[in-house]
Amino acid sequence: MTVFLKPELTMSDVKIDNADVSVSEKIAVIYLLNAIVQADEKVDEQELNYLAFFAKKHRLNLCEQRFKKQKLDGLCQAIQSDAAKVFAIEQIIRLAMCDGEYHKSERQAAIVLSGMLQLELDTFLAIEQSIIENPDQTLVNC
């Protein structure tokens, strides 16, 4: 499934209830976030805090042995529902912004992951704009 947003739509038109995201999809999201954190081989305290907050809020645990077996494409395939795909991109962008900066390389990685999740670029841009316009919500809504 692919989520389509017409250019005239905004994220306020897309209602995502985190209850619509299954536990298995949330598990895939946290492993995906963990992969993103480790991708640049520089783990910031803010990133660790974000992961801890996400894990606590959704009552999830990361298993290092299980993480080592995960592949990005497999994690993206495990995220099936439209709600979970939007939720995943929201979390990826918030993680990228949690240190107060949104680097070009982080944005490009988020766009690539959005494509792997089969989200349209317009959908990604609407999600991104919504988060940029509400930076105080970065940790609150994860």
Side-chain angles (χ1 to χ4, degrees), residues 16-29 54 58 78-88 90:
I16 298 298
D17 182 352
N18 291 342
D20 293 338
V21 180
S22 72
V23 172
S24 63
E25 289 172 319
K26 287 179 183 177
I27 290 169
V29 170
F54 183 90
H58 298 287
I79 301 169
Q80 293 291 312
S81 71
D82 290 346
K85 290 175 183 187
V86 171
F87 177 74
E90 287 175 345

Side-chain angles (χ1 to χ4, degrees), residues 38-56:
Q38 295 187 25
D40 64 359
E41 298 180 7
K42 179 185 161 219
V43 179
D44 295 329
E45 185 175 342
Q46 295 96 335
E47 293 171 329
L48 291 176
N49 290 342
Y50 190 89
L51 281 176
F53 181 81
F54 183 90
K56 183 178 178 182

Side-chain angles (χ1 to χ4, degrees), residues 57-105:
K57 180 171 182 167
H58 298 287
R59 298 184 207 138
L60 304 171
N61 291 313
L62 281 171
C63 171
E64 190 63 31
Q65 295 297 15
R66 186 172 175 203
F67 169 71
K68 290 177 182 178
K69 298 176 185 177
Q70 304 295 320
K71 304 242 185 269
L72 287 179
D73 59 342
L75 291 169
C76 289
Q77 289 172 2
I79 301 169
Q80 293 291 312
S81 71
D82 290 346
K85 290 175 183 187
V86 171
F87 177 74
I89 290 301
E90 287 175 345
Q91 301 315 309
I92 289 165
I93 294 169
R94 287 187 175 113
L95 174 66
M97 293 177 66
C98 73
D99 63 356
E101 296 183 45
Y102 189 31
H103 299 282
K104 184 178 179 180
S105 61

Side-chain angles (χ1 to χ4, degrees), residues 3-15 122-123 125-127 129-130:
V3 176
F4 295 97
L5 279 183
K6 295 182 179 163
E8 63 273 7
L9 296 179
T10 65
M11 280 309 295
S12 62
D13 298 314
V14 179
K15 303 296 183 212
D122 288 344
T123 302
L125 294 173
I127 295 166
Q129 188 61 39
S130 175

